[in-house]
Coordinates of all heavy atoms in Angstrom, one line a residue:
M1 N 101.6 17.8 67.7 CA 101.7 16.3 68.1 C 103.0 16.3 68.9 O 104.1 16.8 68.4 CB 101.6 15.4 67.0 CG 101.5 13.9 67.6 SD 101.1 12.6 66.5 CE 101.4 13.2 64.8
K2 N 103.0 15.8 70.1 CA 104.2 15.7 71.0 C 104.4 14.2 71.3 O 103.4 13.6 71.6 CB 104.2 16.4 72.3 CG 103.7 18.0 72.0 CD 105.1 18.7 71.6 CE 104.8 20.1 71.6 NZ 106.0 20.9 71.2
E3 N 105.7 13.8 71.5 CA 106.0 12.4 71.9 C 105.8 12.3 73.5 O 106.1 13.3 74.1 CB 107.4 12.1 71.5 CG 107.6 10.5 71.5 CD 109.0 10.2 70.8 OE1 109.6 11.1 70.2 OE2 109.4 9.0 71.0
I4 N 105.3 11.2 73.9 CA 105.1 11.0 75.3 C 105.9 9.7 75.6 O 106.2 8.8 74.8 CB 103.6 10.9 75.7 CG1 102.9 9.7 74.9 CG2 103.0 12.2 75.5 CD1 101.4 9.5 75.5
Q5 N 106.1 9.4 77.1 CA 106.4 8.1 77.5 C 105.4 7.2 77.1 O 104.1 7.5 77.2 CB 106.6 8.1 79.0 CG 107.8 8.9 79.5 CD 109.1 8.3 79.2 OE1 109.3 7.1 79.1 NE2 110.1 9.1 79.0
P6 N 105.7 6.0 76.6 CA 104.7 5.0 76.2 C 103.7 4.7 77.4 O 104.0 4.5 78.5 CB 105.5 3.7 75.9 CG 106.9 4.4 75.6 CD 107.0 5.5 76.4
V7 N 102.5 4.7 76.9 CA 101.3 4.3 77.7 C 100.7 3.1 77.1 O 100.1 3.1 76.1 CB 100.2 5.4 77.8 CG1 99.0 5.0 78.7 CG2 100.9 6.7 78.4
I8 N 100.7 1.9 77.9 CA 100.2 0.7 77.3 C 98.7 0.5 77.7 O 98.4 0.6 78.8 CB 101.1 -0.5 77.9 CG1 102.5 -0.4 77.4 CG2 100.4 -1.8 77.5 CD1 103.4 -1.4 78.1
F9 N 97.9 0.3 76.7 CA 96.4 0.2 77.0 C 96.2 -1.3 77.1 O 96.8 -2.1 76.4 CB 95.7 0.7 75.8 CG 95.5 2.3 75.9 CD1 96.6 3.0 75.5 CD2 94.4 2.8 76.3 CE1 96.5 4.4 75.7 CE2 94.3 4.2 76.3 CZ 95.3 5.0 76.1
P10 N 95.3 -1.5 78.0 CA 95.0 -3.1 78.3 C 94.2 -3.7 77.0 O 93.8 -3.1 76.2 CB 94.0 -3.0 79.5 CG 93.3 -1.6 79.4 CD 94.5 -0.8 78.8
L11 N 94.1 -5.0 77.1 CA 93.5 -5.9 76.2 C 94.0 -5.8 74.8 O 93.4 -5.9 73.8 CB 91.9 -5.4 76.2 CG 91.2 -5.5 77.5 CD1 89.7 -5.0 77.4 CD2 91.1 -6.9 78.1
N12 N 95.4 -5.5 74.8 CA 96.0 -5.5 73.5 C 95.5 -4.5 72.6 O 95.6 -4.6 71.3 CB 96.1 -6.9 72.8 CG 96.8 -8.0 73.6 OD1 97.9 -7.7 74.2 ND2 96.3 -9.1 73.6
L13 N 95.0 -3.3 73.1 CA 94.6 -2.2 72.3 C 95.7 -1.5 71.7 O 95.5 -0.8 70.7 CB 93.7 -1.3 73.1 CG 92.4 -1.8 73.6 CD1 91.7 -0.8 74.5 CD2 91.5 -2.1 72.5
G14 N 96.9 -1.6 72.3 CA 98.0 -0.8 71.8 C 98.8 0.1 72.8 O 98.4 0.1 74.0
T15 N 99.8 0.7 72.4 CA 100.7 1.6 73.2 C 100.7 3.0 72.6 O 100.9 3.1 71.4 CB 102.2 1.0 73.2 OG1 102.0 -0.3 73.7 CG2 103.0 1.9 74.1
A16 N 100.3 4.0 73.4 CA 100.3 5.4 73.0 C 101.6 5.9 73.1 O 102.2 5.7 74.2 CB 99.2 6.2 73.9
I17 N 102.1 6.6 72.0 CA 103.4 7.2 72.0 C 103.3 8.7 71.7 O 104.3 9.4 71.8 CB 104.5 6.4 71.2 CG1 104.2 6.5 69.8 CG2 104.7 5.1 71.8 CD1 105.3 6.0 69.0
Y18 N 102.1 9.1 71.4 CA 102.0 10.6 71.0 C 100.7 11.1 71.7 O 99.7 10.5 71.9 CB 101.7 10.7 69.5 CG 102.8 10.2 68.6 CD1 102.7 9.2 67.8 CD2 104.1 10.9 68.6 CE1 103.8 8.8 67.0 CE2 105.2 10.5 67.8 CZ 105.0 9.4 67.0 OH 106.1 9.0 66.3
L19 N 100.9 12.6 72.0 CA 99.7 13.1 72.4 C 99.5 14.4 71.4 O 100.3 15.0 71.2 CB 100.0 13.8 73.8 CG 99.0 14.9 74.3 CD1 97.7 14.3 74.6 CD2 99.6 15.7 75.6
N20 N 98.2 14.4 70.9 CA 97.8 15.3 70.1 C 96.7 16.4 70.6 O 95.8 15.8 71.3 CB 97.3 14.8 68.7 CG 97.1 15.9 67.7 OD1 97.9 16.8 67.5 ND2 95.9 15.8 67.0
C21 N 97.0 17.6 70.6 CA 96.0 18.6 71.3 C 95.6 19.7 70.2 O 96.5 20.2 69.6 CB 96.6 19.3 72.5 SG 97.0 18.1 74.0
V22 N 94.3 20.0 70.3 CA 93.8 21.2 69.5 C 92.9 22.0 70.4 O 91.9 21.4 71.0 CB 92.9 20.7 68.4 CG1 92.3 21.9 67.6 CG2 93.8 19.8 67.4
G23 N 93.4 23.2 70.7 CA 92.6 24.1 71.6 C 91.7 25.1 71.0 O 92.0 25.5 69.7
S24 N 90.6 25.3 71.6 CA 89.6 26.2 71.0 C 89.3 27.3 72.1 O 88.6 27.0 73.1 CB 88.2 25.6 70.7 OG 87.4 26.4 70.2
D25 N 89.9 28.4 72.0 CA 90.0 29.4 73.1 C 88.7 30.4 72.8 O 88.5 30.8 71.6 CB 91.1 30.3 73.0 CG 91.4 31.4 74.1 OD1 90.4 31.6 74.7 OD2 92.6 31.7 74.3
N26 N 87.9 30.6 73.9 CA 86.6 31.5 73.6 C 87.1 33.0 73.9 O 86.3 33.9 73.9 CB 85.5 31.1 74.6 CG 85.8 31.4 76.1 OD1 86.8 31.9 76.4 ND2 84.8 31.1 76.8
F27 N 88.5 33.2 74.1 CA 89.0 34.5 74.4 C 88.4 35.3 75.4 O 88.4 36.5 75.4 CB 89.0 35.4 73.0 CG 89.6 34.7 71.9 CD1 89.0 34.1 70.7 CD2 91.1 34.7 71.9 CE1 89.6 33.4 69.8 CE2 91.8 34.0 70.8 CZ 91.1 33.4 69.9
N28 N 87.9 34.5 76.4 CA 87.3 35.2 77.6 C 87.6 34.5 78.8 O 88.2 35.1 79.9 CB 85.8 35.4 77.4 CG 85.1 36.2 78.4 OD1 85.7 37.0 79.1 ND2 83.9 35.9 78.7
T29 N 87.1 33.2 78.9 CA 87.4 32.5 80.3 C 87.9 31.1 80.2 O 88.2 30.5 81.2 CB 85.9 32.4 80.9 OG1 85.1 31.6 80.0 CG2 85.3 33.7 81.1
C30 N 88.0 30.6 78.9 CA 88.4 29.1 79.0 C 88.9 28.6 77.6 O 88.7 29.3 76.5 CB 87.2 28.2 79.4 SG 85.9 28.1 78.3
V31 N 89.6 27.6 77.5 CA 90.0 26.8 76.2 C 89.5 25.4 76.4 O 89.6 24.8 77.4 CB 91.6 26.8 76.2 CG1 91.9 26.0 74.9 CG2 92.2 28.2 76.1
T32 N 88.8 25.0 75.4 CA 88.3 23.6 75.4 C 89.4 22.8 74.5 O 89.7 23.3 73.4 CB 87.0 23.4 74.7 OG1 85.9 24.1 75.5 CG2 86.5 22.1 74.6
I33 N 90.0 21.9 75.1 CA 91.0 21.1 74.4 C 90.6 19.8 74.0 O 90.2 19.0 74.9 CB 92.3 21.0 75.3 CG1 92.8 22.4 75.8 CG2 93.4 20.2 74.6 CD1 93.7 22.4 76.9
Y34 N 90.7 19.5 72.7 CA 90.4 18.1 72.2 C 91.6 17.5 72.2 O 92.6 17.9 71.6 CB 89.8 18.1 70.8 CG 89.6 16.9 70.1 CD1 88.7 15.9 70.5 CD2 90.6 16.5 69.1 CE1 88.6 14.7 69.8 CE2 90.5 15.2 68.5 CZ 89.5 14.4 68.8 OH 89.4 13.1 68.3
Y35 N 91.8 16.2 72.8 CA 93.0 15.5 72.8 C 93.0 14.0 72.3 O 91.8 13.6 72.2 CB 93.6 15.5 74.3 CG 92.9 14.5 75.1 CD1 93.2 13.1 75.2 CD2 91.8 14.9 75.9 CE1 92.6 12.2 75.9 CE2 91.2 14.0 76.6 CZ 91.6 12.7 76.8 OH 90.8 11.7 77.4
Q36 N 94.1 13.6 71.8 CA 94.1 12.2 71.4 C 95.5 11.6 71.9 O 96.5 12.3 71.8 CB 94.2 12.1 69.9 CG 93.0 12.7 69.1 CD 93.4 12.8 67.6 OE1 94.3 13.4 67.2 NE2 92.5 12.2 66.7
L37 N 95.3 10.4 72.5 CA 96.5 9.5 72.6 C 96.6 8.6 71.5 O 95.7 7.8 71.3 CB 96.4 8.9 73.9 CG 96.5 9.8 75.3 CD1 96.2 9.0 76.6 CD2 97.8 10.5 75.3
L38 N 97.7 8.6 70.8 CA 97.9 8.1 69.6 C 99.1 6.9 69.6 O 100.0 7.1 70.3 CB 98.3 9.0 68.5 CG 97.3 10.1 68.2 CD1 97.8 11.2 67.2 CD2 95.9 9.5 67.7
S39 N 98.9 5.9 68.9 CA 99.8 4.9 68.7 C 100.9 5.3 67.6 O 100.7 6.4 67.0 CB 99.1 3.5 68.3 OG 98.6 3.7 66.8
A40 N 101.9 4.4 67.5 CA 102.9 4.8 66.4 C 102.3 4.9 65.1 O 102.9 5.7 64.2 CB 104.0 3.7 66.5
E41 N 101.2 4.2 64.8 CA 100.6 4.3 63.5 C 99.5 5.3 63.5 O 98.8 5.4 62.5 CB 100.0 2.9 63.2 CG 101.0 1.8 63.1 CD 101.4 1.2 64.5 OE1 100.7 1.4 65.4 OE2 102.4 0.5 64.5
N42 N 99.5 6.2 64.5 CA 98.6 7.2 64.4 C 97.2 6.9 64.8 O 96.3 7.5 64.5 CB 98.6 8.3 63.4 CG 99.9 9.1 63.4 OD1 100.3 9.5 64.4 ND2 100.3 9.5 62.2
G43 N 97.0 5.6 65.3 CA 95.6 5.1 65.7 C 95.3 5.7 67.1 O 96.1 5.8 67.9
A44 N 94.0 6.3 67.1 CA 93.5 6.9 68.3 C 93.2 5.8 69.3 O 92.3 5.0 69.2 CB 92.4 7.8 68.1
L45 N 94.0 5.8 70.6 CA 93.7 4.9 71.6 C 92.8 5.5 72.7 O 92.0 4.9 73.3 CB 94.9 4.4 72.2 CG 95.9 3.6 71.1 CD1 97.1 3.3 71.8 CD2 95.2 2.4 70.8
Q46 N 92.8 6.8 72.7 CA 91.9 7.5 73.8 C 91.8 9.0 73.2 O 92.7 9.5 72.8 CB 92.6 7.6 75.1 CG 91.7 8.3 76.0 CD 92.3 8.2 77.5 OE1 92.9 7.3 78.0 NE2 92.1 9.2 78.3
V47 N 90.5 9.4 73.2 CA 90.2 10.7 72.8 C 89.2 11.4 73.7 O 88.5 10.7 74.6 CB 89.6 10.8 71.4 CG1 90.4 10.2 70.3 CG2 88.3 10.1 71.3
G48 N 89.2 12.7 73.9 CA 88.4 13.4 74.8 C 88.6 14.9 74.8 O 89.4 15.4 73.9
N49 N 87.9 15.5 75.7 CA 87.9 17.0 75.8 C 88.4 17.3 77.3 O 88.0 16.7 78.1 CB 86.6 17.6 75.5 CG 86.2 17.5 74.0 OD1 87.0 18.0 73.2 ND2 85.2 16.8 73.7
L50 N 89.2 18.5 77.4 CA 89.5 18.9 78.6 C 89.2 20.5 78.6 O 89.2 21.1 77.6 CB 91.1 18.7 78.8 CG 91.6 17.4 78.9 CD1 93.3 17.5 78.7 CD2 91.3 16.8 80.1
N51 N 88.8 21.0 79.8 CA 88.5 22.3 79.9 C 89.5 23.1 80.8 O 89.7 22.7 81.9 CB 87.2 22.5 80.5 CG 86.0 22.2 79.6 OD1 86.0 22.4 78.3 ND2 85.1 21.3 80.1
L52 N 90.2 24.0 80.2 CA 91.2 24.8 80.8 C 90.5 26.1 81.2 O 90.1 26.8 80.4 CB 92.4 24.9 79.9 CG 93.8 25.7 80.5 CD1 95.0 25.2 79.7 CD2 93.7 27.1 80.4
D53 N 90.5 26.4 82.6 CA 89.8 27.7 83.0 C 90.3 28.1 84.2 O 91.4 27.5 84.8 CB 88.3 27.5 83.1 CG 87.9 26.3 83.9 OD1 88.7 25.9 84.7 OD2 86.7 26.0 83.9
G54 N 89.8 29.3 84.8 CA 90.1 29.7 86.0 C 91.6 30.3 86.0 O 92.1 30.9 85.1
A55 N 92.4 30.0 87.1 CA 93.7 30.4 87.2 C 94.7 29.8 86.1 O 95.7 30.5 85.7 CB 94.4 30.1 88.6
D56 N 94.3 28.6 85.7 CA 95.1 28.0 84.5 C 94.9 28.8 83.3 O 95.9 28.9 82.5 CB 94.7 26.5 84.5 CG 95.0 25.7 85.5 OD1 96.0 25.8 86.2 OD2 94.2 24.7 85.8
Y57 N 93.7 29.3 83.1 CA 93.5 30.1 81.9 C 94.2 31.4 81.9 O 94.8 31.9 80.9 CB 91.9 30.4 81.7 CG 91.6 31.2 80.5 CD1 91.6 30.6 79.2 CD2 91.2 32.5 80.5 CE1 91.4 31.2 78.0 CE2 91.0 33.2 79.3 CZ 91.1 32.5 78.1 OH 90.7 33.2 76.9
E58 N 94.3 32.1 83.0 CA 95.2 33.2 83.2 C 96.7 32.9 83.0 O 97.3 33.7 82.3 CB 95.0 33.7 84.6 CG 93.5 34.4 85.0 CD 93.1 35.4 84.0 OE1 93.9 36.3 83.7 OE2 91.9 35.5 83.7
S59 N 97.0 31.7 83.5 CA 98.5 31.4 83.2 C 98.8 31.1 81.7 O 99.7 31.7 81.2 CB 98.8 30.2 84.1 OG 98.9 30.5 85.4
Y60 N 97.7 30.4 81.1 CA 97.7 30.2 79.7 C 97.9 31.6 78.8 O 98.8 31.6 78.1 CB 96.6 29.5 79.2 CG 96.2 29.5 77.7 CD1 97.0 28.9 76.8 CD2 95.1 30.3 77.3 CE1 96.6 29.0 75.5 CE2 94.8 30.4 76.1 CZ 95.6 29.7 75.1 OH 95.1 29.8 73.8
N61 N 97.0 32.5 79.2 CA 97.1 33.8 78.6 C 98.3 34.6 78.7 O 98.6 35.4 77.9 CB 95.8 34.7 79.1 CG 94.6 34.4 78.2 OD1 94.7 34.1 77.1 ND2 93.4 34.5 78.8
T62 N 99.0 34.4 79.8 CA 100.2 35.1 80.0 C 101.5 34.5 79.7 O 102.5 34.9 79.9 CB 100.5 35.7 81.5 OG1 100.3 34.6 82.4 CG2 99.2 36.6 81.9
S63 N 101.4 33.2 79.2 CA 102.5 32.4 79.0 C 103.1 32.9 77.7 O 102.5 33.4 76.8 CB 102.2 30.9 78.8 OG 101.4 30.7 77.6
A64 N 104.4 32.5 77.4 CA 105.1 33.0 76.3 C 104.8 32.1 75.1 O 104.8 32.6 73.9 CB 106.7 32.9 76.5
D65 N 104.4 30.8 75.4 CA 104.0 30.0 74.3 C 102.7 29.1 74.7 O 102.7 28.1 75.3 CB 105.2 28.9 74.1 CG 105.0 28.0 73.0 OD1 103.8 27.9 72.3 OD2 106.0 27.4 72.4
G66 N 101.6 29.6 74.2 CA 100.2 29.1 74.5 C 100.1 27.7 74.1 O 99.5 26.9 74.8
N67 N 100.7 27.4 72.9 CA 100.5 26.0 72.4 C 101.4 24.9 73.4 O 100.8 24.0 73.7 CB 101.1 25.8 71.0 CG 100.1 26.3 69.9 OD1 99.0 26.5 70.2 ND2 100.8 26.8 68.9
Q68 N 102.5 25.4 73.8 CA 103.3 24.5 74.6 C 102.7 24.4 76.1 O 102.6 23.3 76.6 CB 104.8 25.0 74.9 CG 105.6 24.1 75.6 CD 105.7 22.7 75.0 OE1 106.0 22.6 73.8 NE2 105.6 21.6 75.7
Y69 N 102.0 25.6 76.5 CA 101.2 25.5 77.9 C 100.2 24.5 77.6 O 100.0 23.7 78.6 CB 100.8 26.9 78.2 CG 100.1 26.9 79.4 CD1 100.9 27.3 80.6 CD2 98.8 26.6 79.7 CE1 100.4 27.4 81.8 CE2 98.2 26.6 81.0 CZ 99.0 27.0 82.0 OH 98.3 27.1 83.2
I70 N 99.4 24.4 76.7 CA 98.3 23.6 76.4 C 98.7 22.1 76.5 O 98.2 21.3 77.2 CB 97.6 24.0 75.1 CG1 96.6 25.0 75.3 CG2 96.7 22.7 74.7 CD1 95.9 25.6 74.1
Y71 N 99.9 21.9 75.8 CA 100.5 20.5 75.8 C 100.8 20.1 77.2 O 100.6 19.0 77.8 CB 101.6 20.2 74.9 CG 101.2 19.9 73.5 CD1 101.0 20.8 72.5 CD2 100.7 18.6 73.2 CE1 100.6 20.4 71.2 CE2 100.4 18.2 71.9 CZ 100.3 19.1 70.9 OH 99.9 18.7 69.7
N72 N 101.7 21.0 77.9 CA 102.1 20.7 79.3 C 100.9 20.5 80.2 O 100.9 19.5 81.1 CB 103.0 21.8 79.8 CG 104.3 21.8 79.1 OD1 104.7 20.9 78.4 ND2 105.0 22.9 79.1
W73 N 99.9 21.4 80.1 CA 98.8 21.3 81.1 C 97.9 20.0 80.7 O 97.6 19.3 81.6 CB 97.8 22.6 80.9 CG 96.6 22.6 81.8 CD1 96.8 23.1 83.1 CD2 95.5 22.1 81.6 NE1 95.4 23.0 83.6 CE2 94.6 22.3 82.7 CE3 94.8 21.5 80.5 CZ2 93.3 22.1 82.8 CZ3 93.3 21.1 80.6 CH2 92.7 21.5 81.7
S74 N 97.7 19.6 79.4 CA 96.9 18.6 79.1 C 97.7 17.2 79.5 O 97.1 16.4 80.1 CB 96.8 18.5 77.7 OG 96.0 19.5 77.1
A75 N 99.0 17.2 79.5 CA 99.7 16.0 79.8 C 99.6 15.7 81.4 O 99.4 14.7 81.7 CB 101.3 16.1 79.4
A76 N 99.6 16.9 82.0 CA 99.4 16.8 83.5 C 98.1 16.3 83.8 O 98.0 15.3 84.8 CB 99.7 18.1 84.2
Q77 N 97.1 16.8 83.2 CA 95.7 16.3 83.5 C 95.5 14.9 83.1 O 94.8 14.1 83.8 CB 94.8 17.1 82.7 CG 94.7 18.6 83.0 CD 94.6 18.9 84.5 OE1 93.6 18.6 85.1 NE2 95.6 19.7 85.0
L78 N 96.2 14.4 82.1 CA 96.0 13.0 81.7 C 97.0 12.0 82.3 O 96.8 10.9 82.1 CB 96.2 13.0 80.2 CG 95.1 13.6 79.3 CD1 95.6 13.7 77.8 CD2 93.9 13.0 79.4
G79 N 98.0 12.5 83.2 CA 99.0 11.7 83.7 C 100.0 11.1 82.8 O 100.4 10.0 83.1
V80 N 100.3 11.8 81.6 CA 101.3 11.2 80.8 C 102.5 12.2 80.8 O 102.4 13.3 81.4 CB 100.8 11.2 79.4 CG1 99.6 10.1 79.4 CG2 100.4 12.5 78.7
T81 N 103.7 11.7 80.4 CA 104.9 12.5 80.4 C 105.3 12.9 79.0 O 105.6 12.0 78.3 CB 106.0 11.7 81.2 OG1 105.5 11.4 82.5 CG2 107.3 12.6 81.2
L82 N 105.5 14.1 78.7 CA 106.1 14.5 77.4 C 107.6 14.3 77.5 O 108.2 14.4 78.4 CB 105.8 16.1 77.2 CG 104.5 16.5 77.2 CD1 104.4 18.1 77.1 CD2 103.8 16.0 76.0
I83 N 108.1 13.9 76.3 CA 109.5 13.7 76.1 C 110.1 14.4 74.9 O 109.3 15.0 74.2 CB 109.9 12.2 76.0 CG1 109.2 11.5 74.8 CG2 109.7 11.4 77.3 CD1 109.6 10.0 74.7

């Protein structure tokens, strides 16, 4: 779990301050990433799946820290900023 710049959800749903990611690598062509945007109380405000493949998968495979790569990539896809 990584801290992010706060993301305010409409209709008083809350403010996300954490990004949590769990990657499932097929060890061939892609990683399916389950993500959660969480409140300070760890309430899930948004959840979903992202698919990392193609050139991004090659970069992930050659990165020094695959977990950090998944967080950075996921944050970029979701438009949130890690802090």
Side-chain angles (χ1 to χ4, degrees):
M1 184 165 27
K2 303 281 185 179
E3 195 169 352
I4 60 171
Q5 290 288 331
V7 176
I8 300 170
F9 281 75
L11 304 173
N12 295 322
L13 291 176
T15 301
I17 63 167
Y18 298 114
L19 170 63
N20 190 44
C21 293
V22 177
S24 177
D25 190 340
N26 74 358
F27 300 107
N28 187 25
T29 59
C30 68
V31 178
T32 300
I33 302 162
Y34 172 75
Y35 75 87
Q36 300 169 302
L37 293 176
L38 304 168
S39 68
E41 298 80 23
N42 288 327
L45 299 172
Q46 182 177 326
V47 299
N49 291 298
L50 299 168
N51 291 312
L52 186 154
D53 56 15
D56 293 327
Y57 184 74
E58 294 299 322
S59 296
Y60 157 77
N61 269 333
T62 58
S63 70
D65 186 342
N67 287 332
Q68 188 61 47
Y69 187 92
I70 284 174
Y71 272 102
N72 292 341
W73 185 87
S74 297
Q77 300 306 302
L78 296 169
V80 300
T81 303
L82 298 175
I83 55 175

